[in-house]
Amino acid sequence: MPTTIPLMVREKRNLTGTAEYGTNAATTSEKVMIPVKGMTCAACQARVQRALQATPGVLDASVNLMLKNAAVTYDPMVTSPMVLVEAIHETGYGAELVAQDQSAFDEQEAQDRAQEEDYRELRHKALWSGSIGLLAMTLSMPLMGAAEADVHGPVADPFMRWVMESMTPTIRAVAPWLYTFTPWVLSYALTLLVMGWAGRHFYVRAWSAFRHHSADMNTLIAVGTGAAFLYSVLATVAPKFFLNRGVLPDLYYEAVVMIIALILTGNALEARAKRQTSAALRRLVELQPNTARVVRAGAEVDIPVNDVQSEEIVIVRPGERIPVDGAIISGTSAVDESMVTGESLPVEKQPGDRLIGGTINRTGAFRYRATTLGSDSVLAHIVKLMRDAQGSRAPIQRLADQVSGIFVPIVLSLAIATFVIWFVTADQAPAMRAFAAAVAVLIIACPCAMGLAVPTAVMVATGKGAEGGILIKGGESLQRAGQINTVVLDKTGTITEGRPTVTDVVPVLGTEWSETDLVRLVASIEASSEHPLAEAIVRYANEQSLPLATADSFQSVTGRGATGMVDGAALAVGNEALMADYAVDLTAVKEEVERLAGEGKTPMYIAINGKLAGLIAVADPIKPTSRDAVQRLNRLGLTVVMLTGDHQRTAEAIARKAGIDRVVAGVLPDGKVVEVRRRQQAGEVVAMVGDGINDAPALAQADVGFAIGTGTDIALEASDVTLMRNDLPGVVSAILLARRTMRTMKQNLVWAFVYNVVGIPVAAGILYPAFGILLSPILAGAAMAFSSVSVVTNSLRLRRARVA
Amino acid sequence: MSMMEWIVIIGGIAAMIWINWYFFLARQPVSNAGIDGEGVQEVAIVVEGGYHPAVVSVKRDRPVRFVFDRRERSGCSEEIVFPGFGVRKFLPAFRKTRLELAPAQTGNFEFTCGMSMLRGRLIVQD
């Protein structure tokens, strides 16, 4: 019974990011990760590894000293994880089979908590500093028009001055007592409070970064607000110093408070939006139930899900969530797997069928055996894959990365240049204007928008993909998937059901063998083969209750067929090439072969004792969704190609049914890579879609490899996109999603660049000579706060993108 | 041009030169990884407004264990990303977080915060 969990992707990261290929993983193997205690050196590691490798049924064992664990691939028919643990115990080291560290889950949950706290704190500080800012502004009202009575000039910030001038008559009427004392002392105190409490982290981080020769957004905010504050303090305590030099001692207290309040507001909104980008991932993490009902000592007990052990019997009732991965032992049910695979209809489950932890049992009650746990479970793999994907970089981001690396020091230089130019050229209040413009430049510049432009889009897109059962490996895969212009589809298991059935058995005219004889003999040979076509013939013989004979000297000839001896007769079953090897004359069935192939069936020749005895035809019906998906791919302007090892006529017939007009037939397994490479050399951006049986190298060679539903570990490792559902619509959705994401990334990057390229010169006063426009530092603060929020918000729009 | 203006011009130019020298040209010290008893290269990095040390040198083909000690709550530094290794890790505030890599190629590899603002460099040598 094949129980390989398709998502058990071994992490084989290396710098080149290439996957290593072994032989195709046998479908009857399972993997388990066993924590080993007590290893201290390479000798311990070697001892445990040797012991495991010597255990019957172990196909591969690798012990990692650094991570203190053993990764074992074993044949579940021969051995079990319990036996493996025993083997480790015998070497003198400790090992136990518990649900492993759910690092991907834990990490995601911890990150969510941290982001939530971050958001709350920012919101709290933003509200308080905003309120204090308004209070400081109100207190400063008397300064308006008080220029002649007080040494201090009118409020320096042009925006603030406008607000205050408009409000002064009202304030004078409502609170005349405000005009009875000098308010700057209070403004000073309130500003200090906001800077020292709400905005403290800007200064602390800026200083910390500065000490290590780096600069970030905090540097800009700290320098901008810090300079404005110091200037105001100096103007407060030593106004004469300014007056003697013909400069008005301006005050920026309210401006500092308002800038900090606005930036904190922006940060809070950004934190909230950033949390939403990983909402899909959070929903996946929340799928994991907390408890499981298991059978222990003959009784049913509820235990924490992390205590479930491999091989334990778990009981699930209708309506409950399935706690861990496993395989049904008894009972049947329909299971809702939509949250993991995107399959909207409940899936019927029989004994032997695989279950995914986190999915919902709808109708029946059943018992099942737990298989993979903790960080080896399907859900944990999806979470890990998504976390890695969301942290990956898309190539499109390189320019933004390079720019943000040099951005802050350049902005600091521009602010200084702005100050100098204004100071030298302005004819009125040069110092005040120079200062306001320099501060505005520092405050308006926003490197965060550039930094967030691509990652937020990648996060939302990978989350949205996962909700539809499309797991995208990362930003680079996403970007390439958006550029695909050719889709190469493997036929068997991708376009077709991958479950061939026998349709015709045709004995040659005048032969001594009947239809039943031919089926029985061929099935006896094919019983030793693992080929899907062979399985179809054996199944057909079983359905007819034909007793199979023992085959001797069975030989499978790759890409041709099989040979062997049954009941003293020498059989060869396969294609034209195999018959040519045995010099079998095929003229008698030429027309019949043409007819069968024309119907999309795969005819196989049967030669007995060197003479043609008949034909057996097998057909693999196409999936109901294939034709529509191909049409949609065509409508997207993509070239669709079908690859198959079938005879040209058969291939063309199937392609016709699927609506594909480009067919490459007669391809041997290693020919798939060649075909993909040939198209790439012709300048096409090629996607390869396969179920991973024999096509892992082609998946890896393609610009984007799609591993479909029933894929093997190797295929998943080699692919860029994993489709949890076993049909083609996922390919269409993935390409649509990738294209939409690319568009969003470009919009974000253009916005982030244009915002800074336009915003900084405007803040510096470039519009002043022609239009008399000067930007207030407060408005600059508002613009900066909302520029990064707008980037995240634009990425969040992807959640509503229609890709189905 | 008044005296004051000249002072401002010269001061401004000097400040710009200094800023560019300080952030782009001033050399950052390279710190070498230590080796623990099991032959694993250990690198301790403090995360606080940046990475300290920010430039780390390690040997190729030997596992490297980073211990990131994040001493702040700023959302900016909550993630560490090694783009060349396809690794992204969440660093809880005020905790030490381990991260293991196995560099198989020599060269310079950047590590950054989740938003590419804070940067460090991993130098892998033979």
Side-chain angles (χ1 to χ4, degrees):
Chain A
M1 179 203 81
T3 49
T4 304
I5 299 287
L7 265 165
M8 290 190 47
V9 186
R10 261 160 305 185
E11 292 297 314
K12 272 189 281 197
R13 297 198 174 289
N14 53 21
L15 282 180
T16 53
T18 53
E20 302 154 39
Y21 306 110
T23 52
N24 208 337
T27 45
T28 52
S29 71
E30 281 189 16
K31 258 180 278 178
V32 65
M33 191 73 85
I34 307 170
V36 183
K37 290 180 184 154
M39 294 191 296
T40 53
C41 62
C44 309
Q45 173 193 351
R47 225 168 110 187
V48 175
Q49 191 159 305
R50 268 201 308 275
L52 285 169
Q53 283 167 344
T55 306
V58 170
L59 308 171
D60 179 37
S62 127
V63 178
N64 187 321
L65 179 66
M66 202 163 78
L67 304 173
K68 302 269 191 285
N69 64 23
V72 189
T73 311
Y74 63 96
D75 182 348
M77 302 296 199
V78 182
T79 186
S80 75
M82 294 294 187
V83 176
L84 301 173
V85 166
E86 210 44 54
I88 297 171
H89 281 307
E90 281 172 19
T91 58
Y93 297 94
E96 53 181 332
L97 263 186
V98 293
Q100 277 137 47
D101 158 38
Q102 300 208 336
S103 59
F105 287 98
D106 293 348
E107 212 171 286
Q108 187 58 39
E109 282 174 343
Q111 190 161 358
D112 289 335
R113 272 197 306 275
Q115 285 183 343
E116 177 66 24
E117 275 172 34
D118 209 22
Y119 165 62
R120 282 178 197 285
E121 188 182 338
L122 285 166
R123 193 179 56 181
H124 178 72
K125 284 180 171 177
L127 282 171
W128 272 103
S129 45
S131 314
I132 293 172
L134 291 173
L135 180 67
M137 275 170 77
T138 313
L139 287 173
S140 307
M141 289 297 172
L143 291 180
M144 300 308 309
E148 57 290 335
D150 195 281
V151 290
H152 296 294
V155 170
D157 187 288
F159 170 71
M160 291 293 257
R161 201 164 49 240
W162 172 75
V163 170
M164 291 185 180
E165 277 169 359
S166 340
M167 291 190 63
T168 294
T170 319
I171 302 272
R172 261 190 201 281
V174 174
W177 50 267
L178 261 179
Y179 295 78
T180 57
F181 65 94
T182 316
W184 62 258
V185 178
L186 244 169
S187 290
Y188 167 75
L190 289 174
T191 309
L192 209 54
L193 173 72
V194 169
M195 288 172 77
W197 166 70
R200 181 173 172 272
H201 59 278
F202 295 135
Y203 307 100
V204 171
R205 285 172 208 162
W207 172 243
S208 175
F210 175 80
R211 278 187 321 161
H212 299 94
H213 300 263
S214 66
D216 59 7
M217 187 196 78
N218 296 304
T219 312
L220 299 174
I221 298 166
V223 173
T225 55
F229 179 72
L230 290 176
Y231 186 97
S232 308
V233 171
L234 208 57
T236 306
V237 296
K240 293 270 188 299
F241 172 84
F242 291 86
L243 290 165
N244 293 345
R245 285 160 183 76
V247 177
L248 276 176
D250 315 300
L251 299 181
Y252 287 93
Y253 293 127
E254 315 76 16
V256 169
V257 177
M258 286 316 285
I259 288 169
I260 290 175
L262 283 164
I263 291 172
L264 285 169
T265 307
N267 287 353
L269 291 171
E270 187 189 308
R272 195 181 66 172
K274 259 166 72 181
R275 280 191 68 238
Q276 288 169 339
T277 59
S278 56
L281 190 49
R282 230 181 347 269
R283 275 195 292 277
L284 273 177
V285 169
E286 286 162 2
L287 289 178
Q288 183 82 6
N290 295 325
T291 60
R293 189 172 309 110
V294 296
V295 179
R296 284 192 178 172
E300 292 181 19
V301 281
D302 281 350
I303 58 167
V305 81
N306 286 354
D307 293 350
V308 176
Q309 307 216 342
S310 192
E311 304 289 307
E312 249 189 331
I313 309 290
V314 186
I315 295 169
V316 182
R317 300 200 179 110
E320 288 183 343
R321 223 174 249 291
I322 293 164
V324 294
D325 296 356
I328 295 194
I329 304 170
S330 62
T332 57
S333 180
V335 175
D336 176 0
E337 295 187 336
S338 59
M339 64 291 292
V340 178
T341 64
E343 174 61 69
S344 51
L345 298 170
V347 184
E348 293 297 327
K349 297 283 180 184
Q350 314 278 347
D353 284 352
R354 206 167 51 78
L355 296 165
I356 302 173
T359 55
I360 299 174
N361 176 30
R362 285 276 175 236
T363 50
F366 54 82
R367 290 178 166 230
Y368 76 96
R369 191 180 299 281
T371 51
T372 43
L373 300 166
S375 53
D376 278 340
S377 68
V378 172
L379 202 54
H381 270 295
I382 295 176
V383 170
K384 176 151 180 32
L385 200 109
M386 274 182 71
R387 281 188 58 79
D388 287 347
Q390 298 196 338
S392 66
R393 284 273 186 274
I396 192 172
Q397 199 177 338
R398 273 191 208 124
L399 179 64
D401 279 350
Q402 282 164 349
V403 171
S404 50
I406 57 170
F407 186 83
V408 175
I410 285 176
V411 171
L412 290 171
S413 304
L414 286 174
I416 293 168
T418 302
F419 184 90
V420 171
I421 292 167
W422 271 102
F423 195 90
V424 173
T425 58
D427 38 12
Q428 289 177 319
M432 182 184 104
R433 293 215 163 130
F435 197 76
V439 170
V441 167
L442 290 171
I443 298 296
I444 204 163
C446 183
C448 287
M450 271 183 292
L452 291 167
V454 175
T456 51
V458 170
M459 281 174 87
V460 178
T462 47
K464 185 175 175 67
E467 285 178 338
I470 300 163
L471 306 177
I472 301 158
K473 254 200 188 141
E476 196 172 343
S477 307
L478 203 53
Q479 187 171 336
R480 280 203 310 264
Q483 298 159 336
I484 293 168
N485 52 28
T486 301
V487 180
V488 176
L489 303 170
D490 182 41
K491 186 207 77 173
T492 309
T494 302
I495 297 170
T496 63
E497 295 284 5
R499 212 181 131 81
T501 49
V502 174
T503 55
D504 306 76
V505 182
V506 187
V508 172
L509 230 65
T511 184
E512 65 194 271
W513 310 99
S514 70
E515 218 175 286
T516 315
D517 291 336
L518 290 179
V519 173
R520 194 180 65 83
L521 290 171
V522 173
S524 303
I525 286 271
E526 299 287 23
S528 310
S529 167
E530 284 184 2
H531 198 282
L533 295 181
E535 278 175 33
I537 296 168
V538 174
R539 206 170 44 243
Y540 184 70
N542 289 339
E543 283 163 8
Q544 313 233 333
S545 313
L546 298 175
L548 299 191
T550 314
D552 293 321
S553 35
F554 167 81
Q555 262 199 316
S556 162
V557 189
T558 306
R560 297 188 175 202
T563 61
M565 298 287 295
V566 184
D567 296 347
L571 249 80
V573 187
N575 59 15
E576 239 166 289
L578 184 74
M579 296 299 125
D581 289 347
Y582 290 90
V584 178
D585 179 16
L586 305 177
T587 39
V589 289
K590 201 161 184 290
E591 274 179 30
E592 196 62 19
V593 166
E594 291 290 319
R595 181 184 69 80
L596 291 168
E599 291 168 6
K601 296 166 181 171
T602 304
M604 286 181 284
Y605 300 96
I606 308 164
I608 302 178
N609 298 329
K611 284 177 70 176
L612 187 68
L615 290 172
I616 186 159
V618 172
D620 182 5
I622 71 166
K623 291 174 187 168
T625 51
S626 292
R627 190 178 170 85
D628 179 53
V630 169
Q631 279 174 344
R632 291 177 61 205
L633 288 171
N634 283 326
R635 277 205 296 275
L636 288 174
L638 297 157
T639 306
V640 183
V641 184
M642 182 177 96
L643 278 192
T644 173
D646 287 349
H647 191 278
Q648 186 72 30
R649 286 285 313 269
T650 312
E652 280 171 3
I654 292 166
R656 248 196 321 277
K657 283 183 187 165
I660 299 171
D661 46 17
R662 286 180 182 77
V663 180
V664 183
V667 181
L668 295 178
D670 54 359
K672 293 177 186 175
V673 180
V674 177
E675 178 60 24
V676 169
R677 199 175 294 136
R678 190 182 67 75
R679 291 187 166 273
Q680 286 172 318
Q681 281 161 352
E684 295 172 27
V685 182
V686 183
M688 168 82 204
V689 188
D691 63 357
I693 299 166
N694 299 332
D695 46 23
L699 290 177
Q701 172 66 41
D703 296 289
V704 184
F706 286 84
I708 207 164
T710 50
T712 59
D713 296 0
I714 292 175
L716 291 166
E717 192 121 341
S719 65
D720 302 285
V721 182
T722 302
L723 301 173
M724 299 290 289
R725 275 177 60 179
N726 197 3
D727 56 8
L728 287 178
V731 178
V732 184
S733 299
I735 292 172
L736 276 171
L737 178 64
R739 287 185 178 184
R740 265 302 310 268
T741 309
M742 278 302 291
R743 214 170 42 228
T744 302
M745 287 179 189
K746 285 176 185 165
Q747 286 165 351
N748 285 352
L749 285 170
V750 166
W751 162 248
F753 277 107
V754 167
Y755 164 82
N756 281 299
V757 167
V758 171
I760 292 173
V762 168
I766 201 164
L767 298 178
Y768 185 75
F771 306 99
I773 294 177
L774 257 183
L775 190 68
S776 139
I778 293 190
L779 290 182
M784 182 265 191
F786 295 103
S787 73
S788 52
V789 175
S790 58
V791 164
V792 185
T793 309
N794 190 40
S795 291
L796 285 172
R797 284 176 47 225
L798 274 171
R799 292 195 299 184
R800 292 189 300 276
R802 291 206 35 205
V803 295
Chain B
M1 284 275 196
S2 68
M3 183 69 174
M4 189 69 183
E5 284 169 344
W6 277 115
I7 291 171
V8 167
I9 290 170
I10 291 163
I13 291 170
M16 281 196 272
I17 291 170
W18 182 82
I19 283 171
N20 286 284
W21 167 82
Y22 185 81
F23 288 111
F24 296 136
L25 301 172
R27 282 183 63 88
Q28 295 210 23
V30 177
S31 89
N32 289 312
I35 306 236
D36 74 354
E38 296 175 354
V40 176
Q41 305 180 86
E42 279 260 9
V43 180
I45 293 180
V46 173
V47 182
E48 196 177 16
Y51 303 113
H52 327 303
V55 186
V56 179
S57 168
V58 297
K59 293 268 182 291
R60 188 174 75 154
D61 289 333
R62 268 207 191 150
V64 182
R65 182 184 301 130
F66 288 92
V67 180
F68 288 99
D69 180 4
R70 183 165 165 236
R71 297 181 185 171
E72 62 180 1
R73 287 221 13 220
S74 153
C76 297
S77 61
E78 71 172 15
E79 281 180 337
I80 184 89
V81 182
F82 283 79
F85 293 78
V87 168
R88 161 198 192 226
K89 187 114 184 119
F90 169 65
L91 307 175
F94 305 109
R95 284 242 312 267
K96 288 185 177 177
T97 308
R98 280 179 166 198
L99 171 70
E100 276 147 359
L101 294 178
Q105 281 183 354
T106 55
N108 280 332
F109 300 94
E110 257 205 335
F111 55 92
T112 68
C113 66
M115 283 174 7
S116 287
M117 292 302 308
L118 310 174
R119 286 155 184 261
R121 196 153 42 96
L122 177 68
I123 303 169
V124 182
Q125 294 173 318
D126 266 327

